[in-house]
Amino acid sequence: AATNNAGGGAAANAVANEEITTTTLNAAAPPIFFYTGNEANVELYLNATGIMWESAEQFGAVLVFAEHRYYGESKPPQPSANSSRLAYLTHLTAEQAMADYATLIRDVKEELGAPDSPVIVFGGSYGGMLATWMRLKYPSSVNGAVAGSAPIWSFIGEDPVVDPGAFAKGVTFDATAAGGSPPACAANVRLAWRELLARGAGG
């Protein structure tokens, strides 16, 4: 793996720390699997994103793990004594992070000499939200997105209105016979929760 530093958003003077790993290149336009880093240093995701590693060889893909601005090594210069913390964090936004990633994708293609390489972005949780939004906001740069546990609709003011119990309903369904579990699973889990809560209340 080669580690390169590429310029992030100029406004915040952030640094986008990227990890690039090349597998067997697929002709002149290898697919690029791009991880949209979220709220931690990039090494955490580099070591815990199996689907990218597992699929790369089959597709002859180049792997890129991008670090989110303000995390890990990708932090802007510290504020001066006269600056407020709020001012320092002004550019810590999803929009700025996506702009960093779009710039990094362009730079990686230039580095590889592969302007026609398709790009598939990957992410989980907040990173999955970024992956989904990248596909929507930068369709000319991103050909597809794989997002896991990405609550992209979980915001106040959405239409239709967000159901805050949707996740619990999905998990409950998984614990039913219709979801592939033993018939007594959901009932047993409910009983177990009652027992745990009762024991907790009793000290």
Side-chain angles (χ1 to χ4, degrees), residues 123-136:
S125 189
Y126 169 51
M129 297 164 77
L130 290 173
T132 303
W133 294 333
M134 283 287 296
R135 174 64 180 135
L136 294 171

Side-chain angles (χ1 to χ4, degrees), residues 49-157:
T49 311
I51 188 173
M52 292 175 66
W53 293 100
E54 293 160 6
S55 306
E57 185 172 2
Q58 177 184 352
F59 290 95
V62 175
L63 300 180
V64 180
F65 291 81
E67 186 165 84
H68 197 294
R69 56 168 55 208
Y70 286 79
Y71 292 96
E73 300 295 322
S74 302
K75 296 177 181 175
Q78 291 296 315
S80 66
N82 297 325
S83 298
S84 69
R85 182 156 181 80
L86 180 60
Y88 176 67
L89 296 175
T90 295
H91 300 287
L92 177 56
T93 66
E95 291 81 4
Q96 290 285 355
M98 288 189 288
D100 290 342
Y101 297 156
T103 300
L104 184 54
I105 287 169
R106 182 196 65 202
D107 291 347
V108 168
K109 286 187 172 186
E110 288 180 0
E111 183 177 324
L112 295 174
D116 298 322
S117 285
V119 176
I120 308 299
V121 291
F122 293 76
S125 189
Y126 169 51
M129 297 164 77
L130 290 173
T132 303
W133 294 333
M134 283 287 296
R135 174 64 180 135
L136 294 171
K137 188 174 179 64
Y138 295 96
S140 62
S141 299
V142 174
N143 300 87
V146 178
S149 301
I152 57 172
W153 301 120
S154 296
F155 294 93
I156 295 173

Side-chain angles (χ1 to χ4, degrees), residues 149-202:
S149 301
I152 57 172
W153 301 120
S154 296
F155 294 93
I156 295 173
E158 291 288 347
D159 185 15
V161 176
V162 172
D163 177 4
F167 178 77
K169 291 174 184 175
V171 172
T172 301
F173 175 78
D174 287 344
T176 66
S181 296
C185 182
N188 286 342
V189 171
R190 288 191 180 99
L191 289 172
W193 274 113
R194 289 174 193 160
E195 180 68 19
L196 287 170
L197 292 171
R199 292 189 182 204

